[in-house]
Amino acid sequence: MDVAELPPTGTCEISTLGRRSGRVSRIEIWYVVVDAQIVLTGTPGSRHWLANLRGHREAVLHLGEPVSDLQVVADEVTDPATRRHVVEQAWRIQPWYAAQAYSIDDWVSASPMVTLTPLTPLTD
């Protein structure tokens, strides 16, 4: 199985290493698959998980479907054109995003957004 075979959206959990505490933090979050990349994003605003990933790019992605724990490396999406593309696709794939009280421009300018690259291939 590769990333393109994952459901296009769903909830997952991500375990990050605290940028200051050094402790593992695990949260639930939505993911979307855009252009065969796993993307974590959320409503505009600051997030501890993003700050943690800025300090320590390696994390563990816990998928429920298919059940799997994946070692991943996070890359923050900063290019405005790429961010807009991801937001537009995320709104199409996961209606929850579009239902929030923010415009696409708000999401492009201020939402947390990272792509996750598995360090090992996804397996069944």
Side-chain angles (χ1 to χ4, degrees), residues 41-47 87 91 95-112:
T41 189
T43 57
S46 62
R47 298 291 186 289
V87 169
W91 280 32
W96 178 87
Y97 293 124
Q100 303 309 302
Y102 298 95
S103 69
I104 285 182
D105 288 337
D106 293 337
W107 280 70
V108 170
S109 66
S111 67

Side-chain angles (χ1 to χ4, degrees), residues 50-119:
L50 178 58
N52 289 347
L53 289 171
R54 286 175 176 155
H56 306 278
R57 293 179 51 224
E58 290 188 13
V60 177
L61 179 66
H62 310 279
L63 295 170
E65 185 62 38
V67 175
S68 185
D69 289 345
L70 302 170
Q71 291 289 121
V72 294
V73 173
D75 290 298
E76 188 169 4
V77 180
T78 58
D79 174 68
T82 303
R83 289 176 62 83
R84 179 168 297 278
H85 173 71
V86 168
V87 169
E88 289 171 349
Q89 293 304 306
W91 280 32
R92 182 184 60 76
I93 295 166
Q94 177 45 261
W96 178 87
Y97 293 124
Q100 303 309 302
Y102 298 95
S103 69
I104 285 182
D105 288 337
D106 293 337
W107 280 70
V108 170
S109 66
S111 67
M113 186 181 300
V114 297
T115 59
L116 300 176
T117 303
L119 291 175

Side-chain angles (χ1 to χ4, degrees), residues 6-7 9 13 15-16 22 32 40 42 44-45 51 55 74 80 82 88 99 106 115 120-121 123:
L6 287 174
T9 186
E13 294 181 347
S15 292
T16 59
V32 291
L40 301 183
T82 303
E88 289 171 349
D106 293 337
T115 59
T120 56
T123 58

